[in-house]
Amino acid sequence: MTVARAPRRITVAEAARHVGELVCIPGWLYNLRESGKILFPLLRDGTGILQCVASKAQLPESVFQAIKDLTQESSIVVTGTVRAEPRAPGGYELEVADLEVVQRVPESDPYPITPKEHGIEFLLDRRHLWIRSRRQNAILRIRHEVVKAIRDYFDSHGFTLCDTPIFTPAACEGTTTLFEVNYFDHDKVYLTQSGQLYNEATAMAFGKVYTFGPTFRAERSKTRRHLTEFWMVEPEMAYATLEDVKQVAEELIVFVVGRVLENRRAELAVLERDVSKLEAVQPPFPRISYDEAVRLLQSKGSPIQWGEDFGGDEETLLSEAFDRPVMIDRYPAAVKAFYMQPDPERPEVVLGVDVLAPEGYGEIVGGGQRIHDYELLVRRLEEHRLPRQAFEWYLDLRKYGTVPHAGFGMGVERCVAWICGLDHVRETIPFPRMLYRTRP
RNA sequence: UCCUCAGUAGCUCAAUGGUAGAGCAUCCGGCUGUUAACCGGAGGGUUGCAGGUUCGAGUCCUGCCUGAGGAGCCA
């Protein structure tokens, strides 16, 4: 293999800057159209897809024949001259001078994912190949942009990255939704479902922190919004309140969507995403209370009663009432986690907030202010029948210099699904893990 | 865990209880500007599995398996 050879090696994405130059591009054959003595191989290299042109009259017979015999996804290194060409998709094409076949996929076992339609089961079984396709490539590039934007936001706003453990000794909110793991000869441990409790410790050490990693939920959920393994960013701030959470969440979402609009226009175009919906994501986001949300739902015909948590239908109804993410705060304490700080003026509700993405994508952010009073936290642990011994270290945080503090979690996959306009989160991660799917 | 739906060629799908088909993919042939190219031809089937009803089952019945969509729960 002689990938690095005389002509300058470039990528498909760089082709427009090399018009008139002889270059070489290593990649794979995405598709081959032919018309007699002229061939149109489509070259894919991970940065894009470029149409090449090979004419019989201008190539040695052996090279022309080798191209004619190419099969889908064969690995090739194409040498040729870049040309601006209005007839080519994307406006540029590569006039082939030479082509090296690195590996030709045999026709006895052709590449299974053809340019035609396929069912979701077939594609998910071949996820390791499916990610090569134009659409999946665009989605995963946007995911990268989202992840990078999240990190850039926190890194430039005084937050310290403090990763939290994936093996955890006990439940954070009850054991039924945790994956159990045998840990040597001793106790069981569980895969984390949230880094939040540890974030509260690191926030007392560093002030403003975030953790960013995979989390695991052993829920038998089988919907377009659920994975059993998903990625979440969770910031936590000392000396902070519910209002601080709302402000940071709003800034973060605006920043992330802005970055995607700035850097991933081409990918959004591949997905045929209506970007005007994303351009509308500007501050301030509408802020309503749980009480107002219940009234709004009832006015739209929902049977919801005060005190009930929102289901998928309610979230969809609420998010469709606004053109940008909506923040809903002060939920009934009974439907929220044990660590949520009660509203001092109305103890039956807590200082928590959820952010619902527009267009029916549901909850992308959940968080709020945490209980900082030792006695109250002890009482809540008892009410929720949680083993106090496992939470002694957590209670320590309220014994040694406790302060009001707050934070939230944002789900990466739901965010990406919303930004990309997808109908299922499974396409937003390279290898999704779901209730009945752990392969490949 | 519950509800609904589906499983037929490599893929996507047809087929009143009566000879299992089409498009794409693959192979052969044609075409110098194709855009999921197009045109002509060829090969390709244990109809998810196991029973049952019937002269006859892809089709009807029972059970099982696999998957999809949704509910609850959640990001």
Side-chain angles (χ1 to χ4, degrees):
Chain A
M1 201 171 87
T2 54
V3 169
R5 34 187 199 176
R8 180 155 178 198
R9 174 178 166 173
I10 66 164
T11 64
V12 167
E14 295 162 345
R17 300 204 299 269
H18 296 272
V19 172
E21 293 176 35
L22 183 70
V23 298
C24 99
I25 307 180
W28 295 262
L29 184 77
Y30 194 69
N31 195 9
L32 176 66
R33 291 190 285 265
E34 54 180 295
S35 179
K37 297 182 179 63
I38 184 166
L39 308 174
F40 299 96
L42 295 188
L43 177 66
R44 173 186 78 74
D45 78 340
T47 72
I49 295 171
L50 181 66
Q51 173 170 292
C52 305
V53 188
S55 42
K56 193 177 173 76
Q58 289 165 31
L59 283 171
E61 178 61 27
S62 62
V63 174
F64 185 81
Q65 195 58 43
I67 299 172
K68 195 173 161 63
D69 286 345
L70 280 177
T71 47
Q72 196 188 353
E73 285 300 319
S74 288
S75 36
I76 52 178
V77 180
V78 187
T79 303
T81 307
V82 180
R83 237 185 4 212
E85 169 55 72
R87 287 172 295 186
Y92 298 91
E93 66 182 18
L94 189 70
E95 171 93 46
V96 179
D98 194 13
L99 184 143
E100 177 192 353
V101 180
V102 179
Q103 187 241 338
R104 181 175 174 278
V105 175
E107 57 272 312
S108 58
D109 190 9
Y111 187 71
I113 303 177
T114 66
K116 289 283 179 176
E117 300 159 13
H118 301 282
I120 191 64
E121 183 185 359
F122 180 83
L123 290 169
L124 282 172
D125 283 342
R126 290 156 187 80
R127 182 64 175 168
H128 53 295
L129 304 175
W130 188 23
I131 51 179
R132 300 181 184 193
S133 72
R134 198 195 309 252
R135 193 181 152 77
Q136 297 306 311
N137 223 262
I139 294 167
L140 294 175
R141 281 181 180 281
I142 289 171
R143 177 193 173 95
H144 173 218
E145 192 70 40
V146 166
V147 169
K148 187 170 189 310
I150 289 170
R151 303 197 89 107
D152 286 348
Y153 176 84
F154 288 116
D155 292 347
S156 62
H157 283 77
F159 288 76
T160 299
L161 175 70
C162 272
D163 289 318
T164 51
I166 288 174
F167 288 143
T168 59
C172 157
E173 301 166 41
T175 53
T176 55
T177 62
L178 289 170
F179 286 105
E180 204 175 85
V181 178
N182 287 319
Y183 202 76
F184 300 115
D185 308 323
H186 311 295
D187 301 329
K188 304 277 190 200
V189 296
Y190 305 90
L191 298 183
T192 180
Q193 60 177 190
S194 167
Q196 187 216 307
L197 269 48
Y198 293 97
N199 276 343
E200 292 182 52
T202 56
M204 298 308 141
F206 295 88
K208 294 201 287 187
V209 299
Y210 71 103
T211 188
F212 197 161
T215 47
F216 308 86
R217 302 274 167 96
E219 290 155 1
R220 293 185 175 274
S221 299
K222 196 169 155 31
T223 79
R224 64 187 70 231
R225 300 186 306 278
H226 287 88
L227 300 172
T228 53
E229 176 184 314
F230 64 96
W231 286 65
M232 193 157 66
V233 61
E234 297 177 279
E236 191 75 27
M237 301 169 282
Y239 288 106
T241 63
L242 173 63
E243 289 311 308
D244 296 314
V245 161
K246 287 197 271 192
Q247 191 191 327
V248 170
E250 181 181 79
E251 278 182 18
L252 173 67
I253 293 167
V254 168
F255 182 79
V256 168
V257 170
R259 269 289 187 82
V260 173
L261 283 169
E262 192 181 327
N263 298 332
R264 296 294 163 192
R265 285 269 171 178
E267 284 79 4
L268 291 170
V270 166
L271 300 172
E272 297 175 315
R273 179 64 165 130
D274 179 357
V275 292
S276 70
K277 293 264 176 35
L278 299 177
E279 284 161 346
V281 180
Q282 296 294 331
F285 294 170
R287 289 156 157 81
I288 64 174
S289 66
Y290 170 86
D291 298 2
E292 289 166 323
V294 168
R295 283 199 292 275
L296 180 61
L297 286 167
Q298 287 170 341
S299 77
K300 289 177 178 296
S302 168
I304 188 109
Q305 296 297 313
W306 197 98
E308 295 170 355
D309 202 359
F310 301 142
D313 290 347
E314 285 81 23
E315 288 187 354
T316 301
L317 264 176
L318 284 169
S319 70
E320 283 173 348
F322 303 94
D323 69 341
R324 59 194 77 188
V326 56
M327 300 183 148
I328 301 168
D329 69 4
R330 293 176 165 81
Y331 284 75
V335 301
K336 289 290 176 185
F338 74 91
Y339 49 72
M340 295 278 220
Q341 173 72 31
D343 185 339
E345 291 167 19
R346 288 178 65 199
E348 72 276 17
V349 300
V350 290
L351 298 177
V353 62
D354 284 355
V355 180
L356 305 185
E359 300 168 75
Y361 280 91
E363 185 183 343
I364 51 171
V365 163
Q369 203 170 320
R370 328 299 190 184
I371 292 173
H372 58 276
D373 180 75
Y374 182 89
E375 298 302 333
L376 177 57
L377 188 56
V378 168
R379 207 153 65 235
R380 283 290 152 86
L381 286 171
E382 284 165 0
E383 285 165 11
H384 285 78
R385 299 188 200 295
L386 291 166
R388 174 163 172 171
Q389 194 187 351
F391 289 91
E392 283 299 344
W393 70 266
Y394 188 62
L395 285 164
D396 270 0
L397 305 174
R398 279 75 182 169
K399 277 163 54 181
Y400 304 114
T402 192
V403 301
H405 61 289
F408 65 92
M410 182 168 85
V412 169
E413 287 76 16
R414 283 190 185 176
C415 237
V416 174
W418 160 52
I419 290 171
C420 292
L422 307 179
D423 64 2
H424 202 301
V425 292
R426 64 190 162 205
E427 292 178 54
T428 64
I429 187 166
F431 296 96
R433 293 292 176 253
M434 294 176 287
L435 181 51
Y436 296 121
R437 184 171 290 280
T438 53
R439 273 184 282 265

